[in-house]
Amino acid sequence: MSHRKIEMKLMENKSSRLVTFSKRKSGLFKKAMELSILCGVEVVVLLFSVGGKAYSFGHPSIEAVTKKFLHEGEGSHVSHGESSNDDANIGSVSGENKSYIKLLEQ
């Protein structure tokens, strides 16, 4: 099957939209992980589905990156050192919702 250009608009078919969300979410998390490993950067991706369910990815961890972001303050320089923890954390988002709300408030 050849690649075809997809028009960027809301998909009308709900089941197709859910399948596309699932596949693209996985692809986005994979690209974020590759970026963090190849470039040595810290990454957090937070997604909220239409139903309100939260999905997250963080490297080295969601908590470490959001804590660093919240405590750095605007305009300050953030160091880009190598991380000692190579595990990707995808899953539990109970504390991340609170961090996300704090980010929105800032």
Side-chain angles (χ1 to χ4, degrees):
M1 186 173 166
S2 65
H3 293 277
R4 55 192 163 116
K5 189 166 181 144
I6 298 172
E7 185 180 351
M8 290 293 131
K9 66 174 188 172
L10 182 65
M11 299 174 76
E12 299 299 325
N13 186 329
K14 187 176 180 177
S15 64
S16 295
R17 190 168 52 228
L18 293 173
V19 169
T20 300
F21 175 78
S22 178
K23 288 181 178 181
R24 291 201 175 222
K25 174 181 59 111
S26 299
L28 179 62
F29 287 168
K30 182 178 177 183
K31 288 292 182 184
M33 182 175 57
E34 290 173 358
L35 179 66
S36 68
I37 292 170
L38 293 173
C39 300
V41 297
E42 297 176 354
V43 178
V44 169
V45 178
L46 293 173
L47 296 177
F48 290 89
S49 69
V50 175
K53 188 170 182 183
Y55 300 90
S56 61
F57 167 84
H59 185 85
S61 74
I62 296 163
E63 294 82 12
V65 179
T66 54
K67 204 176 281 185
K68 185 174 185 177
F69 180 79
L70 291 173
H71 295 301
E72 280 294 324
E74 289 186 354
S76 65
H77 179 25
V78 179
S79 65
H80 298 286
E82 292 274 331
S83 164
S84 62
N85 182 0
D86 288 336
D87 294 329
N89 295 314
I90 300 174
S92 171
V93 292
S94 60
E96 289 74 24
N97 286 337
K98 292 177 186 174
S99 297
Y100 176 72
I101 293 169
K102 287 181 184 178
L103 290 172
L104 285 177
E105 291 172 355
Q106 285 188 348

